[in-house]
Amino acid sequence: MGERELMLEQEIGHRIHLERRKKGLRLTDLALSSGFSAGLLSKIEAGKVSSPISTLAVIAKALGTSFEVLISDDKPDNLNDVPDEISIVKRDERIHYDVIHNDASSAYEWLAPEMQNRRLEPYIMTMPNEYSPAMYSHHPGQEMVFVLQGKMLLGFRRRSYQLEEGDCVLFDATIAHQIRSTGDTELKILCVRSLF
């Protein structure tokens, strides 16, 4: 691959990366919708492989954009405003989704879209008052929870810890734990967990 072709592949890969981030998609999400592996998509975004037009067309469709946006000579707005090593999400740009547990809905707000080599997953979770999940959970790494609003009961190693607004806890997430809302108002918590 010549120098000019390499620059073009890097430019196209960067545009795909930006379009994916704008949509709040992970590589695995794009892999699922496009049919290409996350490993291949990662190489395409990094400009490490030359992609045929048919591949780029499928990726563009999976991103909900046009093929022309990916290959146009026009520089997209703010192309280099946000480097890969930083993730900035404005208040009105958070990705929201609801999860239903035991007929109660909890709201999640993701605070950072995927970035290269990300090791943390920050999000805000809002639970209805008197919310009590049926099961304990566990996962690799550590987790930090900061109570923004309401009262929370953390079940950990057969003990219960009451936390209120302004309280913070950091724990080994490989150990089974449970978070419950125990106050009269909904519980809102800032969570940051490690990814491995």
Side-chain angles (χ1 to χ4, degrees):
M1 195 185 306
E3 186 175 329
R4 190 167 186 277
E5 290 81 8
L6 179 61
M7 287 177 63
L8 178 61
E9 292 302 328
Q10 288 173 341
E11 177 73 11
I12 290 171
H14 192 57
R15 291 178 186 210
I16 291 170
H17 180 73
L18 287 178
E19 282 296 316
R20 179 172 63 77
R21 286 178 64 182
K22 270 199 314 193
K23 300 286 193 313
L25 298 172
R26 298 169 184 251
L27 277 172
T28 51
D29 299 325
L30 184 56
L32 191 62
S33 59
S34 69
F36 299 118
S37 73
L40 175 62
L41 291 169
S42 178
K43 288 178 183 175
I44 291 171
E45 286 191 357
K48 293 180 178 175
V49 295
S50 179
S51 307
I53 291 173
S54 57
T55 297
L56 296 177
V58 170
I59 292 170
K61 184 175 180 184
L63 287 169
T65 191
S66 69
F67 171 73
E68 291 75 15
V69 166
L70 300 182
I71 63 165
S72 170
D73 285 337
D74 298 327
K75 292 271 187 194
D77 293 336
N78 303 322
L79 183 63
N80 295 311
D81 280 357
V82 182
D84 290 342
E85 298 85 6
I86 186 172
S87 175
I88 298 172
V89 177
K90 298 289 189 175
R91 183 188 325 206
D92 58 349
E93 295 175 348
R94 294 177 189 163
I95 301 165
H96 296 259
Y97 77 93
D98 295 332
V99 175
I100 298 176
H101 306 279
N102 302 335
D103 298 323
S105 178
S106 295
Y108 288 77
E109 300 173 61
W110 297 109
L111 301 177
E114 183 176 0
M115 63 185 243
Q116 297 293 330
N117 301 316
R118 185 167 53 112
R119 293 183 185 92
L120 299 173
E121 182 74 78
Y123 59 94
I124 292 174
M125 182 177 177
T126 305
M127 302 177 187
N129 59 323
E130 298 299 328
Y131 168 80
S132 179
M135 297 175 57
Y136 278 69
S137 66
H138 61 89
H139 47 85
Q142 298 176 328
E143 185 166 351
M144 184 213 79
V145 178
F146 182 89
V147 181
L148 299 169
Q149 170 188 302
K151 294 182 179 180
M152 180 186 103
L153 193 68
L154 172 68
F156 189 84
R157 283 201 185 274
R158 300 185 186 187
R159 292 187 62 188
S160 295
Y161 301 90
Q162 182 72 50
L163 290 98
E164 300 181 0
E165 188 174 319
D167 294 344
C168 183
V169 61
L170 175 67
F171 54 89
D172 180 347
T174 63
I175 297 169
H177 54 276
Q178 181 189 62
I179 293 174
R180 297 173 51 194
S181 173
T182 58
D184 297 332
T185 60
E186 66 182 9
L187 172 67
K188 183 175 281 193
I189 55 178
L190 168 65
C191 302
V192 181
R193 63 183 177 192
S194 50
L195 292 177
F196 290 93

